[in-house]
């Protein structure tokens, strides 16, 4: 037992050895939360407080779940494959597979990834003759998923006008289509699982009695439905009682947990997924509703040097309503944070390239250098400069393996083997490779299916003429493929790739070799999946395997592929520079980090300035995003910004990000001169004066005390009064000296560009 705990610091040890009770662990960036989670599970099992089947551990990525299983396997002398450790979607999938009848699903139901869901919605709109310009499939998918994540079926969604009612009607039709086809999307996995437990009391009690300890990673990223699902499994919040009439005690007293003890690990300062439905308020709700007495802060950071952590702490402290913590390290202060000011995004990109070259010469591996940006659009200038310099780079978050077109084609054939009623899979490959089945034939088939209320496959005999003959040929191909379903999974995949014509099709393509290599890798993936997921334990039972839990190897593999396709994972390969958005960088760490484009309107994003969500400013989430970006760096951190940037086809003149103001001066080293009015720093280290040339004349720092142009003393965001247009707010500025001008939003009078030398604006 000592060896299990001796690597923990004091707060980690306190968290791991808590008595059975609800607990909230505030785990700062790089504070060892995965170590705490896995050691907590190992400690509970080793001390006999719970058996392995009594643990439910929820993560947000399959990668995190596998890491947890690997660590536990090294800590415990047991087979951990049968334990319920996985993502919300993965665990819900497991629950629904085990109780598919009670959930109203076919045994071999298939999962739609985001692309499949969009294709399904497109088919629905076409079958109902709905204009997809008025109801874009992507937006409709977002609407449907958002309702499901709120726990709302179509019948429960309020609609106040004809357009909203039409959208709700399409949601209802989509639900009916998915039910008929025996498919579920990602949001449906969770909602169907929640409804199953909510409506089936014997089943709910079974799992409440089974799972004695529920551990949740990244709790700040849970949405409303995920939190409700956890509460159901845990038996709900503890009850409060009125004061005892005899003793007078009570009132704030709450009973011990009636079901599972929830051990929630999260960081409210890293909640950056509100746009996906994540609700950081779940942390405070959990503390209040479950009357959590155990809140432990993990503040010692094992990743970054002190200056980086001090900067992160200084930035995030400007957010109100935090649960609160302060990161620190024993690693020393380290290097100062470097700040660079450039004239344009091109200058910024060229400087980054030169700095990366210098870092490489100093021995820094390119794979340990990350270029972070707020918006994907920013990568263009960076990629252009890297390409010209011949530096290898990888854009993190590109198409993943299971999302590549050739892989999705092969998976569609496999899905039809498992379930011929899957119309989305049918539509994807009915004419791929081309079989002469045209749009008219498919329309006739869809009409026949709609009239018979059947799947597309079942309606094939109803289509006459040459189109019907070709469709019948496709149906016969599916019969042949299904006859091979008895083959081992890797051989079945190989057989499908060959017999479907995919291999021949790509062999005839001019650039088909890479696609063929990917199809070969799909066969390897199937072999690895069977080897990894179907290992018997010491008793010969396949505890974590696929045959008992999912029906058969094929169904399990297809579920695995759909779940993996929903994740964002980096590829592996050569020593290449890493480019990614800050959102994509969460959970990663690098020796050197560049955060580029630190300008107001870009980072923080301009939409956040006026956005309010659940009573909280959008600027708070932007600040959390900056906090995440800063804490990705281990040793060296660069912050850069440009005075001019091409956005939406126009050159914009920007002020430095307000987040730069929040970094204490004692932590930074400016790589460019701090110019006064009339000049600014340039890449060659000198100072260049700009006036009538059109560049801004205001300095980057101190940001709020400098003029917005022409020495007027005005600034962006300031209220001003105009003799004719009245009261307005400055939203943009250009030029300098006698050419300085500002853009002002005058409300009812509209947006106006005004020359400062003429307008005679007065500060309001």
């Amino acid at each position: 037992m000592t060896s299990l705990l001796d690597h923990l610091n004091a707060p980690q040890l306190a968290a791991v050895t808590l008595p059975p009770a609800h607990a909230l662990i505030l785990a700062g960036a790089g504070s060892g939360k995965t170590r705490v989670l896995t050691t907590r599970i190992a400690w509970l099992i080793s001390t006999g407080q719970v058996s392995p089947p009594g643990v439910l551990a929820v993560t947000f990525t399959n990668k995190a779940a596998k890491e947890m299983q690997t660590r536990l396997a090294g800590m415990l002398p047991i087979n951990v494959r049968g334990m319920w450790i996985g993502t919300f979607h993965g665990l819900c999938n497991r629950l629904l597979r085990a109780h598919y009848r009670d959930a109203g699903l076919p045994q071999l139901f298939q999962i739609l990834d985001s692309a499949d869901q969009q294709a399904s919605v497109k088919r629905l709109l076409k079958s109902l003759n709905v204009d997809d310009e008025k109801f874009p499939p992507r937006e409709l998918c977002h609407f449907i998923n958002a309702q499901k994540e709120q726990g709302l079926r179509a019948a429960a969604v309020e609609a106040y006008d004809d357009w909203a009612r039409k959208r709700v009607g399409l949601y209802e039709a989509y639900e009916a289509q998915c039910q008929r086809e025996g498919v579920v999307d990602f949001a449906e996995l969770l909602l169907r699982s929640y409804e199953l437990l909510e409506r089936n009391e014997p089943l709910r009690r079974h799992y409440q009695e089974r799972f004695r300890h529920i551990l949740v990673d990244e709790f700040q990223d849970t949405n409303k439905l995920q939190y409700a699902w956890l509460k159901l499994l845990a038996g709900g919040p503890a009850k409060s009682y009125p004061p005892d009439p005899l003793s007078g005690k009570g009132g704030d007293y709450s009973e011990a947990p009636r079901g599972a003890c929830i051990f929630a690990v999260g960081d409210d300062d890293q909640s950056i997924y509100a746009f996906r439905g994540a609700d950081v308020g779940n942390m405070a709700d959990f503390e209040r509703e479950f009357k959590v007495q155990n809140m432990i802060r993990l503040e010692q950071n094992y990743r970054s040097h002190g200056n980086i952590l001090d900067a992160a702490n200084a930035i995030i402290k400007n957010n109100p309503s935090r649960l609160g913590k302060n990161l620190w390290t024993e690693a020393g202060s380290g290097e100062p944070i470097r700040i660079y000011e450039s004239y344009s995004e091109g200058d910024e990109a060229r400087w980054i390239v030169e700095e990366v070259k210098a870092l490489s010469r100093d021995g820094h591996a390119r794979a340990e250098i990350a270029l972070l940006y707020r918006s994907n659009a920013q990568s263009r200038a960076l990629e252009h400069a890297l390409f010209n310099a011949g530096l290898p780079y990888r854009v993190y978050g590109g198409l993943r393996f299971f999302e590549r077109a050739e892989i999705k084609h092969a998976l569609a054939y496999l899905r039809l083997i498992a379930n011929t009623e899957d119309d989305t899979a049918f539509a994807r490959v009915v004419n791929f490779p081309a079989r002469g089945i045209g749009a008219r034939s498919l329309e006739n088939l869809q009409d026949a299916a709609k009239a018979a209320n059947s799947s597309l496959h079942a309606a094939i005999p109803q289509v006459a003429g040459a189109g019907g003959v070709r469709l019948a040929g496709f149906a016969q191909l599916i019969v042949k493929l299904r006859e091979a379903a008895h083959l081992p999974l890797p051989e079945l995949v190989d057989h499908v790739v060959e017999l479907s014509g995919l291999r021949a099709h790509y062999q005839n393509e001019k650039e088909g070799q890479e696609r063929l290599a990917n199809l070969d890798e799909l066969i390897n993936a199937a072999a690895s999946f069977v080897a990894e997921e179907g290992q018997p334990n010491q008793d010969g039972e396949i505890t974590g395997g696929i045959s008992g839990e999912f029906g058969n190897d094929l169904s399990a593999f297809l579920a695995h592929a759909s779940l993996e396709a929903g994740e964002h994972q980096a590829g592996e390969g050569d020593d290449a520079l890493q480019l990614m958005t800050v959102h994509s960088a969460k959970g990663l760490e690098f020796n050197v980090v560049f955060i580029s484009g630190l300008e107001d309107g870009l980072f923080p994003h301009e939409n956040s300035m006026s956005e309010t969500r659940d009573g909280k400013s959008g600027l708070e989430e932007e600040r959390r995003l900056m906090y995440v970006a800063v804490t990705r760096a281990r040793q060296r951190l660069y912050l850069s910004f440009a005075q001019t940037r091409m956005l939406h086809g126009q050159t914009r003149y920007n002020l430095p990000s307000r987040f730069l103001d929040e970094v204490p001066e004692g932590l930074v080293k400016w790589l460019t001169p701090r110019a006064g009015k009339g000049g600014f720093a340039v890449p060659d280290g000198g100072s260049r004066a700009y006036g009538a040339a059109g560049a801004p004349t205001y300095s980057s720092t101190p940001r709020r005390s400098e003029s917005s142009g022409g020495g007027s003393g005005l600034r962006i965001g300031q209220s001003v009064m105009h003799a004719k247009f009245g009261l307005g707010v400055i939203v943009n500025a250009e030029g300098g000296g006698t050419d300085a001008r500002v853009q002002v939003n005058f409300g009812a009078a509209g947006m106006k560009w005004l020359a400062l030398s003429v307008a005679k604006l007065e500060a309001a």
Side-chain angles (χ1 to χ4, degrees), residues 304-311 313 327-329 331-334 634 667:
S304 307
H305 286 156
N307 284 341
I308 294 170
L309 298 180
D310 289 345
N313 290 330
L327 297 179
W328 61 276
T329 181
S333 297
R634 298 191 191 105
L667 302 178

Side-chain angles (χ1 to χ4, degrees), residues 414 417 476-497 499 554:
L414 291 168
I417 292 175
Q476 188 57 39
L477 170 62
I478 300 304
V479 170
K480 290 180 180 178
L481 293 177
R482 300 194 84 196
E483 289 173 351
H486 65 279
L487 292 172
L489 183 61
E491 294 181 29
L492 176 61
V493 176
D494 190 15
H495 182 74
V496 165
V497 170
L499 192 61
L554 175 58

Side-chain angles (χ1 to χ4, degrees), residues 48-66:
Q49 297 183 60
V50 68
S51 62
V55 173
L56 177 73
V58 190
T59 69
F60 268 81
T61 67
N62 287 322
K63 179 181 178 182
K66 289 176 181 176

Side-chain angles (χ1 to χ4, degrees), residues 450-616:
K450 185 177 180 181
N453 193 28
S454 70
S455 68
L456 295 174
H457 180 270
I460 285 177
Q462 309 304 318
V463 180
V469 172
R470 295 188 182 97
L471 284 167
F474 178 71
Q476 188 57 39
L477 170 62
I478 300 304
V479 170
K480 290 180 180 178
L481 293 177
R482 300 194 84 196
E483 289 173 351
H486 65 279
L487 292 172
L489 183 61
E491 294 181 29
L492 176 61
V493 176
D494 190 15
H495 182 74
V496 165
V497 170
E498 186 67 40
L499 192 61
S500 66
L502 288 175
R503 180 167 283 128
H505 172 81
Y506 289 120
Q507 283 174 341
N508 295 326
E509 267 197 358
K510 183 178 180 181
E511 299 178 356
Q513 292 306 307
E514 184 177 349
R515 296 184 185 274
L516 288 171
N518 287 334
L519 289 172
D520 288 339
E521 188 58 31
L522 181 63
I523 300 168
N524 296 338
S528 298
F529 178 79
V530 172
E532 293 174 4
E533 299 294 322
Q535 291 295 329
N537 63 16
Q538 59 269 27
D539 300 320
E541 180 186 8
I542 303 179
T543 56
I546 50 186
S547 60
E549 196 167 289
F550 294 97
N552 58 36
D553 290 13
L554 175 58
S555 181
F557 180 65
L558 290 171
H560 161 77
S562 293
L563 293 170
E564 283 287 315
E567 293 200 13
H568 299 270
Q569 300 175 3
E572 298 179 359
D574 298 332
D575 184 27
L577 201 63
Q578 308 293 307
L579 275 66
M580 66 195 76
T581 64
V582 181
H583 281 101
S584 297
K586 187 171 182 293
L588 305 178
E589 55 187 75
F590 305 91
N591 290 340
V592 181
V593 169
F594 291 80
I595 307 176
S596 62
L598 281 169
E599 300 134 33
D600 263 6
L602 190 57
F603 196 5
H605 195 276
E606 58 188 350
N607 292 344
S608 71
M609 307 297 186
S610 58
E611 182 183 51
T612 301
R613 184 185 289 114
D614 298 328
K616 296 181 180 179

Side-chain angles (χ1 to χ4, degrees), residues 118-153:
Q118 194 166 329
S120 180
V121 167
K122 284 181 179 178
R123 284 192 294 103
L124 175 71
L125 296 176
K126 190 170 185 179
S127 70
L128 297 176
N129 295 317
V130 174
D131 187 349
D132 61 6
E133 291 188 2
K134 291 183 179 178
F135 297 92
R138 185 174 179 179
E139 291 182 13
L140 188 56
C141 286
H142 179 77
F143 167 76
I144 291 170
N145 293 339
Q147 304 315 307
K148 290 185 178 183
E149 287 168 1
Q150 292 294 315
L152 300 175
R153 291 293 181 192

Side-chain angles (χ1 to χ4, degrees), residues 203 592 724:
L203 192 65
V592 181
K724 178 179 179 180

